[in-house]
Amino acid sequence: MEGDASSMEEFLAKYGDRGYYVLKSMLEASLRGGAKLGDFSLKDLKDKLTAYGLDYNPVPLLYALEKNYGIIRTSYRSSNQHWWVILRRRDVEEAIAKYEGKPVAESEDYKLKLLKIQFYSLNPQRLLMELRAASRRGDKSAVAKEAFTTLPLLVEFLEKAKSQYPDELSSEIGLAEEIIRLAEEIVTPRYAGTRSNVNFVAEPQVNYDSL
């Protein structure tokens, strides 16, 4: 069956909340930074499900999404890893929105599209990965390089996204906030704002003429 919006609704009608959380976790895992062999891995997906407080095996549902609905495709597989790419991201997003009871706009929302384009053009996954490495090294140069170029654009995105599309861009907002938090942590002195407890004693004056 070719993946489309109707097939996604059929998938959710069949699997209910289990299918919903697999789809939602799948999308969220695909936004994760770092070295990737596809949009998401089985480990990433299980981690997301655990974060939702769920404990069940998603493999049968992933098999159905790939073989029966054509929504995902295996991009890499080894003895200890399995990665997929998402083929119909928009269909998945719309199906999740409908399942959550959110209205799906019939017309294109070009402002939303533009914000997404602007956000991902900043390559946020790369930036987050670089900042994490810089944090481990205690290296401020990575932040200095981005502080007057990429980070102001990221803040501008955050302000627009949080005021205009807090639900639609929740994953992107979370990633942007993590980048800003990490950049601030790297350049902020560890003891900034603390006052020294050392009491300085004035050196007594000596009258050398009396010696």
Side-chain angles (χ1 to χ4, degrees):
M1 180 184 298
E2 183 178 353
D4 55 22
S6 61
S7 67
M8 280 289 79
E9 292 177 15
E10 178 184 321
F11 173 83
L12 286 171
K14 181 175 182 178
Y15 294 103
D17 285 349
R18 293 178 69 234
Y20 163 75
Y21 280 108
V22 165
L23 293 179
K24 192 174 180 69
S25 298
M26 185 175 80
L27 286 180
E28 291 176 353
S30 72
L31 299 175
R32 191 172 181 175
K36 302 173 72 172
L37 298 169
D39 287 331
F40 68 96
S41 70
L42 180 59
K43 180 182 182 304
D44 292 336
L45 182 61
K46 287 182 175 179
D47 287 346
K48 290 292 180 182
L49 290 172
T50 300
Y52 281 116
L54 303 172
D55 182 21
Y56 57 80
N57 182 15
V59 171
L61 276 68
L62 292 171
Y63 180 87
L65 285 170
E66 183 167 10
K67 302 300 182 183
N68 301 335
Y69 297 93
I71 292 295
I72 58 176
R73 184 186 73 237
T74 295
S75 58
Y76 177 82
R77 189 169 189 172
S78 69
S79 59
N80 60 354
Q81 290 192 68
H82 196 161
W83 289 78
W84 292 265
V85 291
I86 302 172
L87 303 177
R88 300 288 195 279
R89 183 178 293 268
R90 184 178 177 186
D91 290 338
V92 174
E93 290 173 342
E94 290 185 354
I96 288 175
K98 286 183 179 180
Y99 193 84
E100 292 174 340
K102 298 175 183 176
V104 178
E106 296 181 359
S107 60
E108 298 283 355
D109 189 334
Y110 293 107
K111 288 184 179 180
L112 175 58
K113 286 180 176 291
L114 178 59
L115 277 175
K116 282 189 175 183
I117 291 170
Q118 290 173 337
F119 177 72
Y120 287 109
S121 69
L122 298 176
N123 203 347
Q125 289 92 347
R126 172 199 60 80
L127 181 56
L128 181 60
M129 188 166 51
E130 288 182 358
L131 290 176
R132 283 174 174 168
S135 178
R136 290 191 294 269
R137 298 191 307 267
D139 179 12
K140 298 181 181 181
S141 62
V143 179
K145 183 176 68 175
E146 306 288 352
F148 297 96
T149 54
T150 307
L151 294 182
L153 297 175
L154 200 63
V155 169
E156 184 178 344
F157 162 81
L158 265 175
E159 290 175 345
K160 291 180 180 178
K162 294 185 78 169
S163 64
Q164 299 174 22
Y165 301 100
D167 296 325
E168 296 87 342
L169 296 174
S170 59
S171 296
E172 289 81 359
I173 289 170
L175 179 53
E177 288 181 332
E178 173 63 12
I179 290 171
I180 296 296
R181 183 200 66 77
L182 187 56
E184 181 184 23
E185 180 181 285
I186 291 170
V187 299
T188 302
R190 182 174 298 180
Y191 301 107
T194 62
R195 298 183 63 182
S196 173
N197 292 324
V198 178
N199 294 319
F200 293 96
V201 178
E203 183 179 349
Q205 292 185 352
V206 178
N207 186 353
Y208 292 97
D209 293 337
S210 65
L211 297 178

